[in-house]
Amino acid sequence: MCIVLLTGCGDATSISVPSAGDPSLEQSDLLGALQIGATSSPQDTGRTDAPSQESTPAQESTVTPAPTATQEPNATPAPTATQEPTPSPTPFVPLRDNTPYCPSPVASGTVTYGNDVTTIDASNLEQGYIMANYTGTCPKVKLQIIGPDSHTSTYNLNSTEFQAFPLTAGDGSYTVTVNENIQGKDYIVSYEVSLDVALDDPFSPYLSPSSYVYYNEDTRAVELAAELCETAASDLDCVSAIYNYIIENIEYDYDLAGQITSGALSSYIADIDATLADGKGICLDYAALMACMLRTQRIPTRLEVGYASLSYHAWVSVYLTDVGWVNGIVEFDGSSWSLMDPTFAASNSEEEVKEFIGDGSNYTVRYIY
């Protein structure tokens, strides 16, 4: 807000300075002339206490004002004191927008493929995802996406509701197959379709929810990420804030990890808000939670599954402007980037975590979600 001070400007007025009078006039005559109702004539310089014999009308005295001091025409006016305007407070402007970004994948129904038990909705390929559902009776169904670089991602497809699956290999030709389990680990292809993909934004698959990183605008983690990044000046500040929160507040769930490694739990999908509420989880929970929070802050994030040494593991990679993709969540010492997986960085016994996921070295990516 600007405050404008307006100053009035009047017209200059000419001032006449009276004459100083006769310089030879005696001081006593001046004093006599200034007496109100004086009766002496100009010729009578004497002083009398009684009126004269012939009374004459009282002569009006002419008062000659004393000269007034005037400012020389070229003199610079003395500065007048003016009140300085009170500056308005500068409003707070965040250096980055922390408003949650939460697109919602939809099955638009404009482009679909399938058979009597499977529907593949390809209406939004340019947005980086497909939608699929399965309505058959097979209890174990896998959806597999093979990208143009032969990169393969595999998902469970056991819901009659549509699920979103990202196209993580960029532009090109994809093959999508739906596979039904027949026994043990054996599957047969129930349906297959090829799709040509041209993305509007190459980062879109890593900025949206999917079956492995599932969230919506009501997910608590979305709101929490906005709170943590409210004062962040950069994406790196935002990554640091979310990263530090997770490793300080989520503990490793050894019981759940034991069920998975023993085979008691054959499949597992992260529940992001349950991880926040329980304050514990395994590597997939850490990775899904962090991916959700970073994606909703417009930071492209990959959830990656593969091997840490010989152990199956999940972690995240982020894209930072002017840096590129950084594998694993990171710390920066001023000159170099260091791998800093959130599972290892959490406040747990490193030796115990190694029993389940190795020591974190030699990461090998198998799936990208």
Side-chain angles (χ1 to χ4, degrees):
M1 179 175 66
C2 297
I3 300 175
V4 180
L5 297 180
L6 301 178
T7 56
C9 298
D11 295 333
T13 304
S14 59
I15 302 175
S16 298
V17 181
S19 171
D22 186 354
S24 62
L25 190 62
E26 296 290 343
Q27 184 177 13
S28 59
D29 293 330
L30 287 173
L31 292 174
L34 291 174
Q35 293 179 14
I36 303 298
T39 57
S40 59
S41 65
Q43 292 81 12
D44 184 3
T45 58
R47 185 182 179 95
T48 177
D49 294 330
S52 59
Q53 292 291 334
E54 290 184 332
S55 177
T56 58
Q59 187 180 37
E60 292 183 3
S61 61
T62 300
V63 180
T64 303
T68 59
T70 61
Q71 191 176 46
E72 294 184 7
N74 296 327
T76 301
T80 58
T82 58
Q83 184 177 5
E84 292 292 332
T86 303
S88 300
T90 302
F92 171 73
V93 179
L95 298 180
R96 69 179 301 279
D97 184 6
N98 71 320
T99 304
Y101 173 69
C102 198
S104 179
V106 293
S108 303
T110 56
V111 180
T112 62
Y113 306 91
N115 55 22
D116 58 341
V117 294
T118 298
T119 301
I120 306 295
D121 190 306
S123 305
N124 300 287
L125 297 182
E126 69 280 359
Q127 300 301 316
Y129 67 89
I130 62 170
M131 303 288 287
N133 73 346
Y134 176 81
T135 57
T137 59
C138 182
K140 294 177 66 176
V141 180
K142 300 285 186 180
L143 181 141
Q144 190 173 68
I145 300 177
I146 304 174
D149 56 357
S150 298
H151 175 76
T152 303
S153 296
T154 302
Y155 305 85
N156 293 324
L157 183 62
N158 296 320
S159 173
T160 58
E161 297 181 357
F162 276 98
Q163 299 171 253
F165 302 96
L167 304 170
T168 58
D171 295 347
S173 178
Y174 287 74
T175 300
V176 179
T177 62
V178 176
N179 308 281
E180 295 177 319
N181 180 258
I182 52 175
Q183 63 178 3
K185 296 183 179 180
D186 296 330
Y187 288 79
I188 60 171
V189 175
S190 171
Y191 182 76
E192 180 176 296
V193 63
S194 294
L195 304 170
D196 291 325
V197 176
L199 300 176
D200 288 345
D201 180 357
F203 295 115
S204 57
Y206 310 113
L207 290 170
S208 301
S210 64
S211 59
Y212 270 85
V213 188
Y214 180 75
Y215 56 88
N216 55 43
E217 60 184 7
D218 296 324
T219 302
R220 166 58 183 152
V222 175
E223 179 184 1
L224 177 59
E227 294 171 1
L228 293 173
C229 296
E230 183 176 6
T231 59
S234 66
D235 284 352
L236 182 56
D237 285 348
C238 187
V239 170
S240 298
I242 291 173
Y243 171 80
N244 289 331
Y245 178 89
I246 290 177
I247 66 173
E248 291 170 4
N249 291 276
I250 308 299
E251 296 182 354
Y252 194 78
D253 191 336
Y254 299 103
D255 291 337
L256 178 58
Q259 294 178 49
I260 294 175
T261 55
S262 67
L265 190 61
S266 59
S267 63
Y268 181 77
I269 297 295
D271 184 329
I272 290 171
D273 271 353
T275 302
L276 271 183
D278 297 341
K280 60 183 179 180
I282 59 172
C283 56
L284 187 61
D285 297 306
Y286 281 82
L289 174 59
M290 185 169 290
C292 163
M293 297 176 81
L294 292 175
R295 288 181 184 185
T296 57
Q297 284 298 301
R298 295 178 174 82
I299 300 174
T301 305
R302 298 191 304 233
L303 187 156
E304 298 175 342
V305 176
Y307 291 93
S309 293
L310 299 178
S311 299
Y312 208 49
H313 187 35
W315 60 92
V316 296
S317 294
V318 299
Y319 183 90
L320 299 176
T321 304
D322 300 327
V323 176
W325 283 104
V326 182
N327 294 325
I329 221 40
V330 299
E331 66 176 353
F332 187 58
D333 63 8
S335 61
S336 63
W337 297 93
S338 300
L339 183 66
M340 197 171 170
D341 183 278
T343 308
F344 292 114
S347 55
N348 304 291
S349 168
E350 186 174 337
E351 292 302 319
E352 288 182 285
V353 173
K354 286 180 182 179
E355 293 180 8
F356 295 99
I357 59 174
D359 61 4
S361 62
N362 301 320
Y363 278 31
T364 302
V365 178
R366 184 173 179 182
Y367 303 115
I368 297 177
Y369 300 109

